[in-house]
Amino acid sequence: MSLLRVVPALPVERIVVGVEFYCTRLGFTVVASDDGFAKLVREGAEVHLWAAFDDDWRARSDFVSMPICSGAESFLAGTASCRIETDGLDELYREMAAAQVLHPGDAGVGPTDTEWGTREFAVVDLAGNLLTFFSPVVDGA
């Protein structure tokens, strides 16, 4: 038995809006989509979006002890993150900078080296989900 891959599923308030953003700004292509779910791909990366649209929590009298009932509460949109490995980090950074989707904390200097052995930069989708693109740092590079 082996685990074969991980596919992030990110909560968004509206699938149509999320799909439009991922396609036009992040370069993904839609494989499947309906009102509650979308499957998107770009090269070897796959991302799923799911609708966090339930606003019933706003009227609940006991929200504190049980904030999540349906699992699709609207406040969940934008609370996820994922990391996507790439072999063209600098080129992708320029593309994402031109699309104006870089994380608000980006200093505009390009991908940064981390102490855990990667070069990376972050993007935020319309819902607020964080996507970090990275490449492993090769010794001597």
Side-chain angles (χ1 to χ4, degrees), residues 1 7 11-12 21 25-26 39 49 59 64-65 75 78 80 107 130 141:
M1 190 270 306
V7 177
V12 297
F21 179 84
R25 305 283 292 279
L26 301 181
K39 178 179 176 179
L49 304 179
V64 174
S65 69
F75 63 80
L130 177 70

Side-chain angles (χ1 to χ4, degrees), residues 20-94:
E20 173 73 13
F21 179 84
Y22 274 76
C23 291
T24 61
R25 305 283 292 279
L26 301 181
F28 281 79
T29 301
V30 181
V31 174
S33 180
D34 62 27
D35 290 342
F37 176 82
K39 178 179 176 179
L40 305 151
V41 296
R42 178 171 173 173
E43 291 95 29
E46 183 174 323
V47 173
H48 294 178
L49 304 179
W50 59 274
F53 59 86
D54 182 357
D55 281 327
D56 289 348
W57 62 273
R58 295 179 191 276
R60 270 191 238 137
S61 60
D62 191 19
F63 179 72
V64 174
S65 69
M66 196 167 171
I68 298 177
C69 291
S70 70
E73 282 78 7
S74 59
F75 63 80
L76 294 172
T79 62
S81 66
C82 68
R83 297 175 58 79
I84 301 171
E85 186 174 355
T86 180
D87 61 2
L89 194 68
D90 294 304
E91 179 182 354
L92 186 60
Y93 179 87
R94 289 188 295 275

